[in-house]
Every structure is written in structure tokens, then in C-alpha cells.
Amino acid sequence: MIILGIDPGSRITGYGVIEWVNRKARYVDSGCIRMDVKATTGNRLKTIFEGLDQLIGLYQPDQLSIEQVFVHKNPQSALKLGQARGVVLCAAALAGLEIYEYSATRIKQTVVGNGHATKDQVQHMVEHLLKLNGKPQADAADALAAALTHGFHLPMVGVK
């Protein structure tokens, strides 16, 4: 099974692709979809959609794992994050992917063992679990952590 993990953002959207076989993860790819900070909101969202569409076409994932919405102290930031997530969910739905959402706390708890882990701790554990040669960029590491979380939770969501 190919799992595409996404860490949505209005400036940087991280992605991570893993193959899940026999309860083990194999690293496939990761990186970031970067938006032009001077672009309009519509063009930023278009960049996310087109980037995700390319990733789906390239890797043909079976399922998508994404971080659930959490409450921001800044309503403007929450709105932008919600828009980015909406574009990701729409692109995944149009591609016919099954979508699974996990809280940030659940992702950190699953990957690090601490629901309040730092970004550095998440990067370190992703590097270790996937046997990478170095720490992935923070947004890519968060996306890989979302994909790993889904893999570890497959038995609980009824997928073998």
C-alpha cells in the first residue's frame, strides 16, 4: 500500500510518500510544495492543488493521511490553514483516495511516543524509523509522520 502523508500550509505544504508492506514502512519520497509568498491566495491554493495532483499521478497512492484541524490563536492563520487543507482534501477526493485524518497529538504520540514532541524530535524519529541518511526538512518530516501514523493505525481503521 502506498500512503501519501500531507502537512498542509499556506506557505509550505509538506508531503511524504511511504510504502507500507507487512507492517513495515519503506521510504519512497518526501519534500515540500512551496508557494510564492507574493502570490494571491487563489494562486497559492492553485499551487497546492497542482502540486498534489502531480504527486498523486506520479506515486498513485492508495490512501492519504493528513493532520486534523487544530485551533489557532490567530484566526487569520486558522483560516489560511483551513483553505490549504480544503484544497488537499478536494484534490484527494477527486483522485478517489481514501482520506484519514489524525490529530497533531496523535501523530506525535505515535511516531515519537510523546504527544507534545518538538519538531526536532519528530524529524529525528522519522529519520530513524525510515532509516534515512539525514533529517528531512521539518514540513516533509511532519508529512512523513502523518503517513507513518496511518500505517501504524491501519489495523485499527480496518485496513490490512
Side-chain angles (χ1 to χ4, degrees):
M1 171 181 301
I2 302 294
I3 303 170
L4 173 59
I6 298 291
D7 177 40
S10 62
R11 293 183 183 150
I12 301 172
T13 290
Y15 67 88
V17 184
I18 63 170
E19 183 178 19
W20 193 263
V21 180
N22 297 325
R23 299 183 183 180
K24 291 185 180 175
R26 183 183 70 80
Y27 175 82
V28 175
D29 191 20
S30 63
C32 298
I33 301 168
R34 296 181 186 277
M35 275 51 79
D36 178 352
V37 293
K38 296 177 184 173
T40 64
T41 300
N43 282 329
R44 285 184 189 195
L45 297 175
K46 179 178 177 242
T47 299
I48 296 169
F49 184 88
E50 289 173 345
L52 190 58
D53 189 53
Q54 286 179 355
L55 291 168
I56 291 169
L58 181 60
Y59 295 109
Q60 300 290 307
D62 300 292
Q63 300 180 347
L64 181 130
S65 178
I66 188 170
E67 190 176 299
Q68 286 177 335
V69 171
F70 59 94
V71 179
H72 266 278
K73 293 178 184 168
N74 181 335
Q76 196 65 20
S77 295
L79 179 62
K80 288 177 183 177
L81 177 61
Q83 291 170 332
R85 284 186 82 258
V87 167
V88 170
L89 295 174
C90 183
L94 285 171
L97 295 180
E98 293 180 55
I99 301 165
Y100 295 86
E101 300 181 62
Y102 298 93
S103 70
T105 304
R106 169 65 56 94
I107 292 170
K108 291 174 183 179
Q109 179 67 44
T110 301
V111 174
V112 179
N114 174 359
H116 301 288
T118 65
K119 282 204 176 273
D120 190 58
Q121 290 171 315
V122 171
Q123 285 175 291
H124 176 75
M125 284 308 297
V126 165
E127 177 186 8
H128 174 73
L129 290 168
L130 293 173
K131 298 173 179 67
L132 302 176
N133 293 328
K135 283 186 185 179
Q137 194 272 347
D139 297 291
D142 288 348
L144 286 165
L148 286 165
T149 296
H150 183 58
F152 289 126
H153 286 85
L154 284 173
M156 291 174 257
V157 296
V159 179
K160 294 181 181 178

